[in-house]
Amino acid sequence: MVFSSAYFLLLFFPLTLLLYFIVPKKYRNLVLLAASLYFYTYGEKFLVLIMIFSTLVDYKCGILIEEGKRKLGLRISILTNLITLGVFKYFNFAIDNLYATLEILQMDAESLHNIPEIVLPLGISFYVFQTMSYTIDVYRGNVKADRSLLEFATYVTMFPQLVAGPIVRYIDIQREIADRQVSIFGFAKGLERFIIGLAKKMIIANTFARIADIIFTESGGGFSTYNAWVGLIAYSFQIYYDFSGYSDMAIGLGRMLGFNFLENFNYPYISRSIQEFWRRWHISLSTWFRDYLYIPLGGNRKGKRRTYFNLFAVFLVTGLWHGAQWTFVIWGLYHGIFIIIEKLGFEKVLKKTWKPIQHIYALLVVNVGWALFRADDIESSVAYLKTLFMYTEGDATVNDFIGYFNYNNEFIFTFILAVIFSMPIYPYLEQKLKSPKLLPLRYTFIVLILIWSIIYIAADSYNPFIYFRF
């Protein structure tokens, strides 16, 4: 079930809200837990048992840690979560690489074909990281173990952020899990935020998704350098508006239910360095790795060489977190290398240059990285990069095929919207439209983009979420 589906918008969420607000306050967690389990089971069926298992293990581990069995509780939690993630996300990847290695060594690998593939559960990377952060924080003494299984299960399974983030830490919402207030103002702000996220997804991300998919996959290669850059920019906008739109919807839904989730994006495409990009992109993931991997490894406290090693390790894991595929690993290391280059002294040189040059540098590095991220395999990514930087007119038939589907008024208009709203224009307008006289204009805009989004939902079934596969 996706937030931008008619079923969610017209049936699931209205019914959930109705039950949530008519029951006594003490039963709201129960309603939210039941709704969340149904939400996940609707698409994943029996795979919900993996999430329930993870929830029960970490609930018990938190209590073990607080009762004095600190190392035992932490070890069980981390090992269970990493094994769960390793089996369901990386087992197929390991078998594929073992098969390739045996073939290179000219050894018999046919028996590996009989090993069944394991299905990747939706959102496993998100809820595993959430539960691990909880037990680590209990171990560190940052939070008390939650003795209420209902409260803890509600935290883990909460449907607004369950399958594609942001990664919500227990420490950030522990008070709201136990006791939260929903005001009319907060509900209205949440609804507005949800509508903005829905519009990002339906109006912008989905339009660019078609273009990116045609150029990256359906064209079969042979496109021109011009079309390669169009496809790359389209994917850059698709992944940003897709993921930040989902985060906006999650934050908005949480606000309507009385939760205040932290921001996950802060206009990353205005960055002037790769370090700044990662302070603005997928903030919940980058801060998770900072607090639970980079700092425990020693951070920048053990000398420059160790700092660079720690950064390299963090971005290696960042790539792996995104997917069991070598292109993701290379993408993570690619970003890590640029961050190390900046820390080696390039950052000082960069700051002395003209600001537009800094923006161009950051955007170029990020966009080239998306070619690695989007490609199906290393061979495809190399071919795409070659087309980007070695001029070719491509195959005329392929280029005509791409142009027939893409270069129309809708594409041009959506491109203008994408550029404008990738900058902090809306917060500026929001401040300007706080005047009572201008509020009707603001709400008219919100209603119009809601209607526009619903038209897109009704007219088209093409509605993918990129980060669902992570």
Side-chain angles (χ1 to χ4, degrees):
M1 191 188 310
V2 297
F3 295 161
S4 51
S5 67
Y7 182 76
F8 179 87
L9 292 172
L10 302 178
L11 188 61
F12 173 81
F13 190 57
L15 285 177
T16 300
L17 276 181
L18 179 64
L19 286 172
Y20 186 79
F21 287 114
I22 63 172
V23 301
K25 191 175 179 180
K26 62 181 179 180
Y27 296 123
R28 285 183 179 176
N29 279 343
L30 185 60
V31 170
L32 185 53
L33 175 61
S36 298
L37 290 174
Y38 173 79
F39 177 89
Y40 194 83
T41 307
Y42 180 86
E44 294 298 279
K45 306 296 187 293
F46 68 91
L47 292 177
V48 72
L49 296 175
I50 300 165
M51 182 176 63
I52 293 172
F53 169 74
S54 180
T55 302
L56 293 173
V57 168
D58 286 298
Y59 168 73
K60 183 59 180 176
C61 285
I63 295 173
L64 279 175
I65 292 168
E66 198 165 77
E67 288 179 345
K69 299 175 182 177
R70 290 165 47 76
K71 290 186 177 179
L72 177 64
L74 184 65
R75 285 170 181 166
I76 291 173
S77 172
I78 291 177
L79 282 173
T80 302
N81 280 296
L82 291 181
I83 289 171
T84 301
L85 193 60
V87 169
F88 286 96
K89 190 163 186 174
Y90 302 107
F91 180 80
N92 297 337
F93 179 61
I95 294 298
D96 289 344
N97 281 279
L98 177 59
Y99 180 82
T101 303
L102 291 175
E103 279 205 322
I104 291 171
L105 297 173
Q106 296 184 339
M107 297 174 66
D108 181 32
E110 291 304 313
S111 60
L112 296 178
H113 285 303
N114 299 323
I115 299 175
E117 287 198 350
I118 293 178
V119 177
L120 177 64
L122 201 64
I124 189 171
S125 297
F126 290 94
Y127 64 72
V128 162
F129 269 37
Q130 287 191 182
T131 56
M132 271 203 300
S133 70
Y134 164 76
T135 51
I136 294 171
D137 283 341
V138 173
Y139 180 83
R140 291 174 175 176
N142 295 332
V143 296
K144 293 284 187 181
D146 197 330
R147 300 286 174 152
S148 169
L149 180 57
L150 173 61
E151 288 182 4
F152 184 70
T154 301
Y155 155 69
V156 177
T157 65
M158 202 185 312
F159 73 85
Q161 46 74 53
L162 175 60
V163 294
I167 301 169
V168 178
R169 300 192 209 176
Y170 181 83
I171 194 171
D172 294 325
I173 62 166
Q174 57 179 322
R175 292 181 181 177
E176 292 168 351
I177 286 286
D179 183 27
R180 55 192 174 274
Q181 302 295 326
V182 183
S183 65
I184 294 175
F185 174 78
F187 187 91
K189 290 293 291 182
L191 181 60
E192 180 179 340
R193 186 67 177 270
F194 179 85
I195 292 170
I196 290 168
L198 182 66
K200 280 184 176 182
K201 168 62 183 166
M202 296 307 305
I203 299 170
I204 301 179
N206 283 6
T207 298
F208 284 112
R210 294 186 185 90
I211 300 168
D213 286 349
I214 287 171
I215 295 176
F216 272 91
T217 58
E218 294 182 27
S219 65
F223 43 80
S224 66
T225 296
Y226 169 76
N227 279 325
W229 279 103
V230 170
L232 190 59
I233 293 168
Y235 184 71
S236 180
F237 281 133
Q238 179 200 356
I239 193 170
Y240 170 60
Y241 283 103
D242 185 284
F243 194 20
S244 70
Y246 188 96
S247 293
D248 285 339
M249 286 188 274
I251 291 168
L253 290 169
R255 192 75 184 271
M256 284 188 269
L257 296 169
F259 295 95
N260 290 283
F261 301 154
L262 298 180
E263 294 296 332
N264 206 27
F265 287 88
N266 184 23
Y267 299 97
Y269 289 159
I270 68 169
S271 300
R272 299 203 295 267
S273 69
I274 303 307
Q275 293 179 77
E276 183 183 358
F277 174 80
W278 279 101
R279 290 193 293 269
R280 294 175 175 274
W281 176 274
H282 203 346
I283 299 167
S284 63
L285 179 67
S286 55
T287 54
W288 198 100
F289 278 124
R290 180 197 66 196
D291 294 343
Y292 300 111
L293 183 58
Y294 178 68
I295 292 175
L297 284 172
N300 59 0
R301 304 186 307 276
K302 297 185 177 181
K304 289 185 177 180
R305 289 186 179 181
R306 182 59 182 268
T307 298
Y308 301 145
F309 172 81
N310 293 342
L311 286 168
F312 198 76
V314 166
F315 278 92
L316 170 65
V317 178
T318 298
L320 272 173
W321 180 90
H322 280 85
Q325 193 170 298
W326 284 112
T327 50
F328 292 125
V329 175
I330 295 169
W331 171 80
L333 294 176
Y334 167 85
H335 274 269
I337 288 168
F338 273 97
I339 284 181
I340 290 170
I341 289 171
E342 289 178 8
K343 285 188 172 291
L344 282 169
F346 184 65
E347 182 182 19
K348 294 179 181 178
V349 175
L350 195 61
K351 286 181 178 179
K352 293 178 182 179
T353 62
W354 191 34
K355 286 184 179 180
I357 298 296
Q358 297 175 39
H359 285 297
I360 292 170
Y361 154 76
L363 286 174
L364 182 62
V365 171
V366 168
N367 274 275
V368 170
W370 290 140
L372 297 167
F373 192 91
R374 176 61 178 79
D376 293 328
D377 49 52
I378 294 174
E379 185 179 343
S380 299
S381 66
V382 170
Y384 202 96
L385 290 170
K386 184 178 177 181
T387 305
L388 284 174
F389 293 105
M390 298 179 66
Y391 180 78
T392 175
E393 294 183 354
D395 184 271
T397 304
V398 173
N399 290 323
D400 289 344
F401 168 73
I402 294 169
Y404 174 77
F405 282 99
N406 297 334
Y407 309 136
N408 50 35
N409 291 334
E410 181 187 16
F411 167 72
I412 295 168
F413 179 68
T414 308
F415 178 80
I416 293 169
L417 283 180
V419 171
I420 291 172
F421 288 103
S422 65
M423 299 180 284
I425 301 295
Y426 187 79
Y428 173 79
L429 294 175
E430 191 176 25
Q431 290 296 320
K432 294 296 182 182
L433 295 177
K434 278 187 174 180
S435 166
K437 292 182 180 179
L438 296 176
L439 279 179
L441 183 62
R442 175 177 169 179
Y443 292 134
T444 300
F445 169 75
I446 295 297
V447 170
L448 285 175
I449 63 171
L450 174 60
I451 294 170
W452 192 359
S453 300
I454 290 172
I455 291 171
Y456 270 66
I457 293 170
D460 197 351
S461 60
Y462 187 75
N463 196 18
F465 268 113
I466 290 176
Y467 267 70
F468 272 15
R469 61 183 174 138
F470 305 135

